[in-house]
Amino acid sequence: MSNRSRGFSKRLRMAAVTALAGVALAACSGASGGAPGDAAAVGNPGKPVTIAMWSPWDTMQPYNTGGVYDSVVYEQILDRLVYLDSKSEFKPRLASKWEVSEDHKTFTFHLNEKAKWTDGQPLTADDVLFTAQIVTNPETQAKSRSMFRYLTGTDDSGVAKDPNALGVKAVDAHTVQFSTKNPMDETSFLYSFALAFYTFPKHVLGGVAPAELHKNDYWHKMTPGSGPYKWVSSVDGQMVELEANPDYFLGAPSIPKLAVRVIPQANLTAGLMSGDIDVLVGFGMGEVPLEDWPTIQQQPNLTAISTPTWIFQVMNVNTAQPYLKDPRIRQAISMAVDRNVMVDQLLKGEGVAARGPFPPSHPYFNKNLPAVPHDLEKAKQLLKDAGWDPNRELVMVTPSGNQVRERSATLMQQDLQKVGVKVKIQLVDYPTSQTMQKKGEYDLGLVGQTGSLDPDAVSPYLMPGSPSNYTKLADQRIGDLLTKGRSEFVQEKRQPFYDQLQTALQDQVPVVYLYHPNSLLAINKRMKDVPVGDFMWYNYGTWMWKVSN
Amino acid sequence: MTRYVIRRILIAVPVLLGITVLSYLCMRLAPGSPIDLLVDPNATAAEIERQRHLLGLDQPVVIQYFKWLGQLLHGELGYSMRSSKPVINLILARIGPTALLAGTSLVIAYVVGIPLGVLSATRAYTLWDYGSMTLAFLAAAIPNFFLGLVAIYVFSVKLKMLPLGGMYDPGTRPGVLALTTHLIMPALVLAGAQLGALIRQVRSAVLETLNEDYVRTARAKGVAEQKVLYKHALRNALVPIITLFGLSLPFLVGGSVVTEQVFSWPGLGTFMIQSIGSRDYPAIMGVTVLIAIAVLIGNLLTDLAYGLADPRIRYE
C-alpha cells in the first residue's frame, strides 16, 4: 500500500514537471512566432502612458470606418484641420487660422507652415486637395464621407463625379479654400467638416487606385503620419503602441511613449486600480461602470471625473404602426415614463433628464422648453381619448450591451403598465436592433445617439423619408423646420427654427427623449494637463499631456 | 490503414462543403446587416446602395455564397467588411495566441486531470476521492468569467503579481518571461474549465475497467498492483479519454471566447465575437471554416488513436 502511494506521488511530481515544461515550451514557440525583437523580456524603461477603450478600431481610414474607436488612434497620427475644446471653441490644429467669406460659402484655411510628414516631406495644400478628391471618388470605399456633401461638385452622398469640379482649391502651398453649395454657419462648417477632415500623405497614396484605397498597406502602419505620435507596433484588435513625434508642429509631446489598449468593460476598474490604465477615453467608448464608480472615487491613485455629455438615450416610436399613429398616444407614452427615477436610480444622479435632443448646456437648447411632465392621470386620459386598446401589447426592442439602458427598459415597462399600456421587452444584440428599427419591425425601440455642436445633426433621424428616420414620421412641419434651420447661417437666425423644432418634437413625439448620461472617467494621478472635457469631440490633445513618475 | 485515411479525407470534403452551406445560410438568416452598422446616418439611400454594391451585398445570397466558395477554392477568404483587411491575415495573426493559450491549458488540464481521476478511481470513496471530486465539481461549477475576474482582482489589483491581460505590456517586447507571466492566469482559468469534466470522465472510466474480469484475473495471477493499474486498467480506460481529447482539439483553434475576452487575449475567440457583433460575413466564415477543418481533423485523429489504444479496433 505504502509502495503504491509512493509510486503515485512520484508520478504526480513527474506530471507537475511535465506541465511546467509544457508551459515553457509553448511559451518559447509562441515568442518566436510573435513579433520580431529582443528574445528576452526587457524591463520597463519609461512605462508608456496607456489609454484604454472597450472596443477595437476597424479600418483606421477616417472616412471608411463604421465606428469612433479608430479616431482614438488616428487622431494621434494624422491631423484634423481644427481642434474643438470643451467650451465649444475651435482652436488651431493643422490650420493656424481660417476665415469665412461674406456670403458664408467660401471657407479659407491657412495651414501651419511648419507641418510636415514624419518622413520629412512638407504637408501642403496639395495633400488636402488630394485627400478630398480621392475620398469623394465614386470608386472609393468610404462609408462615412457624407460630410463632403456640403461642398460644391458633390451629390447628396458626398460623391464627386468630376474631381476637378469639387469645391476644394489649393490657393497656394499653405492655403486651402472650400466652397459650399449653400451658405453655412461657421460653427456648423467647422464642426461638421473641418473638425472631421483628416489629411492623407499624397506622396504615399497618390498612385493608389481609388477602388484599392481601403486595402492599402498604409492603414496597417500609418507611416508616415503628421500628428503628435508615430505608429510603432500593434497587436491587431488589442493594442497600438505609439512614440512621440519630436518634430510635431504644435510642439513635441512630453510623453515619449503612448499605448492605446482595448480592455473589456468588466476589467476597466481593475486596470485603473492596478495602474495598467492611465487614461480612459470616456464618452461611451470606455467608461467606469456605474456600479464601480464609488470604488473608483475612493482610489488614492486616481482622479475620478464625471462630465456632462450631449449623448442622448432615446426610445423611438414606430409611427407607421396604425395603433401608434395618433400623437396623443405617443404623448401619453412619453408622459408615463418617469425620467427622474431613471436619472436618480439608474444613473445614480450622474446625468440629466432629457427634454428633447439638446441638453440644457447646448447652445441651441430652447430655454422655454418645459420638462416633459410625469403625469399618469393625464396619460391615461390621452390614451382614453385616442381610443387605446388596453389588450394590445407593444414590442420594445432593446439592444443589449448597455446595462443602464437595459434596466431602463424594465423601468419603462412598469411605468407604461401603470397607464394601461402593455409592453413586451425584446432584448436583442445591437446589429439586430439596428436592422429591426431601420426596417420598421418594431413598436418601441431603444437606442443611444451622440451629441453634436451642429443642431442639424439631428435631421437624418427626423427628416421625413430619410433612411435613418426609424420613426417613419413624415411630419411636414418638422421637415420644414429642419430645412429652414439648416439654410440659415447665423445662430440668431437659426435659433427660432430649432426652438420651434424642440416644441414640435414634444408635440409629435416621434422620439421619446430619455436622458443625457454623464461620462464617468478616471485618470491616474501621475497624469497632468489632460483635457478630459475635449474628449467629447474625440480630440485628445495628447501633445499637451504631462506625466510625473 | 492508408486507404482508410484517404477515404476519411475524401468523405471530409462534402462534409466541409455542407458545413459551409449551413453556416452561410444561418449567418445570413440572422437579423442585422453590416451595412446598417457601417454606413453613417447621413448617408442617402443612393449611397447606402452604392456601398452595398461595393461590398457585393446587393446580389442574391446564393450568388454571394458561390462567389465566396470560389474564393475559398483559390485559397482566399476575402476581405473583412469591418476592417477592409484580408481575413486570412487577421486569422493568422490570432491563431498563434489562441493555440498557445488553449494548448497550455489543455496540457495543464490533462497533466492534473488524469492523475487525479485515476487517484479518485483507485481510492474510490476515500478522502482522496472526495477531495478530487470536490475539485472537479468546483471547476465545473464556477463560471469562467467569474474565476477570471476574481483572479485578476487578487493577482493583478491586490497583489500586483501578474499582469491584467493581453500578451505583453506596452513598452516591452515579447519574451519568454513576459509571455509566461501573461499566460499563467488565463491558462489556469481555462484549464479549470476543462478539469471538471476530465477528472470525472477518467474516474468513471478507470473505475469501470477496475471491475472487469481481466483485471480480477490479473490480480488473481499475482500481477503487481502498479502493473494491473497501468497495463490493464488504464490502457483500457483510454478510449473515452481519447474521445474527450479529440473533442477538445477544435478548442485549440476556436479558443475560449470568454477567457480570451476577460483577459484581452488577442486570439480567435475575441475575433469571432467582434466579427459576429459587426456581422462581418467574410470574417465569420473564415473562422467557421477553420474550426470545421479542426473538428474534422480532430475526429480523424481520434479514430486513429483508438486503434493505437485498443488493438481490437482496426480500420481497413
Side-chain angles (χ1 to χ4, degrees):
Chain A
M1 197 68 185
S2 70
N3 187 20
R4 215 169 88 191
S5 91
R6 230 186 7 250
F8 228 96
S9 66
K10 197 170 124 196
R11 266 161 220 279
L12 267 178
R13 271 205 308 276
M14 279 289 290
V17 171
T18 328
L20 280 176
V23 174
L25 219 89
C28 289
S29 65
S32 60
D38 316 343
V42 180
N44 215 345
K47 187 173 169 244
V49 165
T50 300
I51 307 172
M53 55 188 188
W54 59 45
S55 285
W57 59 95
D58 47 54
T59 64
M60 291 293 182
Q61 207 270 54
Y63 310 96
N64 191 32
T65 160
V68 286
Y69 297 96
D70 302 48
S71 67
V72 179
V73 180
Y74 67 64
E75 207 251 354
Q76 316 311 327
I77 298 169
L78 297 176
D79 276 290
R80 31 169 81 184
L81 284 173
V82 294
Y83 182 95
L84 177 59
D85 72 9
S86 58
K87 296 182 202 84
S88 305
E89 275 171 31
F90 289 94
K91 291 183 173 161
R93 177 100 188 234
L94 179 57
S96 315
K97 57 184 173 88
W98 51 88
E99 61 248 11
V100 189
S101 67
E102 284 279 308
D103 63 358
H104 279 255
K105 284 173 83 172
T106 307
F107 296 80
T108 308
F109 289 85
H110 302 275
L111 308 186
N112 190 317
E113 295 190 9
K114 287 187 285 180
K116 62 177 179 187
W117 300 100
T118 48
D119 61 2
Q121 296 279 330
L123 195 171
T124 67
D126 262 353
D127 291 307
V128 175
L129 177 63
F130 160 74
T131 305
Q133 284 176 345
I134 195 162
V135 172
T136 54
N137 189 298
E139 298 280 305
T140 304
Q141 206 181 91
K143 298 163 205 125
S144 45
R145 61 176 158 201
S146 64
M147 56 185 265
F148 287 94
R149 72 187 187 280
Y150 299 116
L151 302 186
T152 54
T154 62
D155 64 14
D156 288 347
S157 309
V159 175
K161 291 248 154 52
D162 174 10
N164 296 317
L166 182 66
V168 185
K169 204 165 83 184
V171 178
D172 61 43
H174 302 290
T175 312
V176 194
Q177 241 172 33
F178 297 96
S179 313
T180 59
K181 291 174 191 163
N182 303 305
M184 272 183 87
D185 174 17
E186 181 179 344
T187 303
S188 290
F189 186 80
L190 289 175
Y191 178 81
S192 303
F193 190 87
L195 186 66
F197 191 97
Y198 286 89
T199 302
F200 300 163
K202 185 186 179 183
H203 64 284
V204 176
L205 296 171
V208 178
E212 300 292 315
L213 180 70
H214 65 288
K215 297 178 184 171
N216 195 277
D217 274 348
Y218 181 75
W219 310 114
H220 303 177
K221 294 239 150 68
M222 301 194 78
T223 308
S226 63
Y229 281 86
K230 295 192 274 191
W231 184 290
V232 177
S233 67
S234 70
V235 180
D236 203 31
Q238 297 291 344
M239 172 160 67
V240 177
E241 291 190 63
L242 304 160
E243 69 179 15
N245 172 7
D247 303 322
Y248 187 52
F249 56 86
L250 290 177
S254 81
I255 295 168
K257 284 180 185 167
L258 211 60
V260 179
R261 285 181 80 173
V262 178
I263 303 210
Q265 192 170 5
N267 284 355
L268 287 180
T269 306
L272 285 162
M273 284 162 71
S274 68
D276 284 285
I277 301 173
D278 293 298
V279 178
L280 278 191
V281 291
F283 299 94
M285 296 158 68
E287 303 202 14
V288 177
L290 201 57
E291 56 271 27
D292 293 341
W293 189 237
T295 315
I296 289 293
Q297 284 173 304
Q298 286 161 12
Q299 296 307 309
N301 67 331
L302 299 172
T303 312
I305 306 153
S306 171
T307 327
T309 72
W310 293 358
I311 294 169
F312 47 102
Q313 290 291 339
V314 304
M315 177 164 70
N316 288 322
V317 186
N318 185 358
T319 65
Q321 307 284 30
Y323 43 88
L324 291 170
K325 265 211 152 53
D326 193 325
R328 287 175 295 182
I329 289 175
R330 304 196 296 263
Q331 284 169 7
I333 290 173
S334 179
M335 238 172 241
V337 170
D338 193 343
R339 292 172 179 75
N340 290 330
V341 167
M342 247 180 233
V343 170
D344 296 342
Q345 304 297 320
L346 289 187
L347 291 175
K348 309 245 162 62
E350 304 293 344
V352 289
R355 300 179 180 193
F358 308 126
S361 55
H362 195 283
Y364 282 88
F365 174 70
N366 179 349
K367 304 212 166 36
N368 300 315
L369 191 72
V372 181
H374 174 59
D375 190 336
L376 296 179
E377 288 314 309
K378 197 169 173 205
K380 277 184 200 159
Q381 190 59 47
L382 284 167
L383 286 166
K384 201 175 153 203
D385 294 348
W388 176 255
D389 172 9
N391 293 319
R392 182 175 292 287
E393 191 178 58
L394 297 178
V395 175
M396 187 188 284
V397 174
T398 309
S400 59
N402 179 332
Q403 275 191 6
V404 173
R405 185 166 59 203
E406 284 171 34
R407 285 179 205 148
S408 79
T410 320
L411 210 60
M412 286 192 282
Q413 184 187 37
Q414 290 162 4
D415 284 342
L416 289 168
Q417 182 80 46
K418 286 180 200 157
V419 296
V421 177
K422 281 192 230 165
V423 171
K424 193 179 103 191
I425 295 173
Q426 196 174 355
L427 192 67
V428 294
D429 76 340
Y430 182 75
T432 306
S433 156
Q434 280 296 93
T435 302
M436 285 175 86
Q437 295 192 39
K438 192 166 204 167
K439 284 191 181 162
E441 292 166 354
Y442 76 106
D443 296 321
L444 305 170
L446 301 191
V447 71
Q449 280 162 6
T450 50
S452 165
L453 188 56
D454 183 358
D456 187 41
V458 299
S459 63
Y461 306 107
L462 300 169
M463 189 67 94
S466 151
S468 302
N469 183 351
Y470 299 166
T471 74
K472 316 290 172 199
L473 184 73
D475 185 83
Q476 206 46 55
R477 186 157 164 256
I478 290 179
D480 282 351
L481 289 169
L482 287 168
T483 313
K484 284 179 184 154
R486 178 189 294 170
S487 55
E488 288 297 334
F489 45 88
V490 190
Q491 187 176 347
E492 294 79 68
K493 289 198 175 161
R494 298 180 90 186
Q495 184 83 53
F497 298 117
Y498 290 106
D499 282 352
Q500 289 174 51
L501 175 74
Q502 290 166 70
T503 309
L505 287 173
Q506 283 200 349
D507 195 41
Q508 284 292 320
V509 204
V511 176
V512 178
Y513 295 95
L514 301 172
Y515 56 87
H516 306 279
N518 283 6
S519 180
L520 303 181
L521 285 118
I523 57 175
N524 196 297
K525 286 218 168 107
R526 74 185 185 123
M527 302 301 301
K528 266 198 208 78
D529 299 341
V530 179
V532 178
D534 304 0
F535 289 10
M536 175 142 84
W537 311 119
Y538 317 124
N539 301 266
Y540 300 94
T542 45
W543 62 92
M544 301 181 267
W545 294 10
K546 306 262 185 317
V547 64
S548 59
N549 280 318
Chain B
M1 184 71 172
T2 321
R3 276 187 57 195
Y4 174 79
V5 173
I6 292 174
R7 205 174 71 224
R8 281 289 297 266
I9 292 175
L10 287 179
I11 294 172
V13 173
V15 172
L16 188 62
L17 211 62
I19 293 173
T20 62
V21 172
L22 282 180
S23 26
Y24 203 88
L25 259 181
C26 289
M27 178 180 79
R28 296 308 296 268
L29 283 175
S33 146
I35 286 290
D36 292 348
L37 300 169
L38 293 173
V39 174
D40 76 286
N42 287 305
T44 57
E47 177 70 2
I48 293 173
E49 214 30 64
R50 194 198 333 265
Q51 296 296 339
R52 275 170 66 86
H53 175 70
L54 287 174
L55 291 175
L57 289 169
D58 53 342
Q59 289 161 321
V61 173
V62 178
I63 305 281
Q64 289 182 45
Y65 170 74
F66 280 107
K67 280 199 158 174
W68 174 82
L69 193 66
Q71 271 183 340
L72 184 69
L73 294 179
H74 286 94
E76 282 172 35
L77 292 172
Y79 282 82
S80 154
M81 289 179 178
R82 198 177 70 89
S83 68
S84 301
K85 288 176 191 156
V87 170
I88 188 78
N89 291 3
L90 296 170
I91 288 179
L92 285 178
R94 289 163 170 86
I95 197 164
T98 289
L100 174 64
L101 172 58
T104 312
S105 78
L106 269 184
V107 169
I108 296 175
Y110 278 79
V111 163
V112 176
I114 293 181
L116 278 183
V118 173
L119 188 68
S120 229
T122 51
R123 316 266 166 101
Y125 312 110
T126 65
L127 264 181
W128 286 100
D129 185 22
Y130 296 136
S132 52
M133 277 300 106
T134 309
L135 180 70
F137 279 112
L138 275 180
I142 298 176
N144 236 347
F145 72 91
F146 179 74
L147 196 60
L149 291 179
V150 170
I152 286 173
Y153 183 74
V154 174
F155 295 104
S156 302
V157 178
K158 284 290 151 194
L159 301 176
K160 297 194 195 299
M161 278 166 58
L162 293 169
L164 178 74
M167 259 176 85
Y168 64 93
D169 286 327
T172 61
R173 285 288 141 252
V176 177
L177 186 66
L179 197 59
T180 310
T181 55
H182 282 82
L183 193 58
I184 290 175
M185 268 201 295
L188 283 178
V189 166
L190 198 51
Q194 306 160 70
L195 206 55
L198 187 66
I199 295 179
R200 279 158 55 197
Q201 192 85 32
V202 172
R203 178 183 185 269
S204 68
V206 173
L207 210 51
E208 206 173 296
T209 51
L210 279 178
N211 289 326
E212 293 285 345
D213 291 344
Y214 53 80
V215 171
R216 194 168 343 111
T217 313
R219 280 185 180 147
K221 279 194 301 185
V223 177
E225 188 62 27
Q226 283 289 322
K227 227 173 172 180
V228 171
L229 186 59
Y230 287 99
K231 280 268 172 180
H232 298 263
L234 197 55
R235 178 123 190 220
N236 278 294
L238 267 181
V239 171
I241 298 171
I242 290 173
T243 311
L244 205 64
F245 189 78
L247 287 176
S248 54
L249 269 188
F251 170 82
L252 278 174
V253 181
S256 166
V257 173
V258 174
T259 310
E260 285 190 4
Q261 293 262 73
V262 169
F263 290 99
S264 315
W265 194 258
L268 279 174
T270 311
F271 179 62
M272 186 67 165
I273 287 296
Q274 285 161 5
S275 303
I276 293 173
S278 53
R279 299 290 187 269
D280 190 343
Y281 299 143
I284 297 173
M285 284 311 290
V287 182
T288 308
V289 167
L290 195 72
I291 294 175
I293 292 175
V295 172
L296 292 174
I297 293 178
N299 288 352
L300 179 60
L301 290 181
T302 311
D303 285 349
L304 295 179
Y306 286 156
L308 292 179
D310 187 344
R312 286 169 303 176
I313 302 172
R314 281 279 171 265
Y315 302 103
E316 284 311 333

